[in-house]
Amino acid sequence: MDPKKWIDVKTESFQYSLDHFVIPDHYESDLESVLIPHGVIMDRVEKLAKLIVQEATGPLVVCCVLKGGHQFFADLVNYIKKNVTRGGKTLPLSLEFIKVKSYHNETSGDVKLSLTDEECKEFSGKNILIVEDIIDTGKTMVQLLAKLKQYSPESVKVASLLIKKTPLSNGYIPDYVGFAIPNAFVVGYALDYNEYFRDLDHICVINENGKHKYASKN
Ligand code: HPA
Ligand code: MG
């Protein structure tokens, strides 16, 4: 995929009023705007699925990064299957799920995977597609990739629905990107703020009220 082909979501032109979409009542006062409506997400995911099938060289182990990646993963896998049933290129998939915990400090960081060493050894010789919701600083993904490469997979590619345009980025760019978004905290479509807002279909910008209401209690 040519990375320049992702959709660049600009703050000025892409903020929709909440009034124009169906928002759950329980979140109405907690959001600034709709950044990417659900229908647009779905259309973009379908296109990413098509690109992934076109560029795949063999069976894929599609690896969902929980929890935020689950909705993108589910829709992406569905579109890949649909592509096949519509007479597209056949692409066998196996599905894997990982939870990644990152420990960051100033100079180095480490990630801890929920998979055991034995389970990770299954990646050896496989073509892996990691499915993530968002690349923010890029730290977690760079460490995750380094960790997975220790198990000698045949190839590792990354699909991220979003990449944030933040000055804190380490420059990491995934193989497949849905949208490049402004440097704002977004929620919805399984992206959360302290576990809230995963049950919102559109990708929205949280407001100060929402940040305060659902602030971490720890
Ligand atoms: N929203 C939700 N989760 C995140 C974000 C975000 O903007 N950035 C990193 N993780
Ligand atoms: Mg994530």
Side-chain angles (χ1 to χ4, degrees), residues 41-68:
I41 301 171
M42 295 303 281
D43 287 344
R44 182 69 183 137
V45 174
E46 182 172 15
K47 178 70 182 198
L48 290 178
K50 200 170 167 189
L51 289 173
I52 288 165
V53 173
Q54 276 170 2
E55 293 177 7
T57 53
L60 281 186
V61 180
V62 192
C63 195
C64 174
V65 181
L66 295 170
K67 299 179 187 174

Side-chain angles (χ1 to χ4, degrees), residues 65-69 131-135 140 191-192 198:
V65 181
L66 295 170
K67 299 179 187 174
V131 178
E132 174 69 293
D133 52 354
I134 185 165
I135 303 294
T140 302
L191 285 103
D192 75 307
R198 294 198 200 273

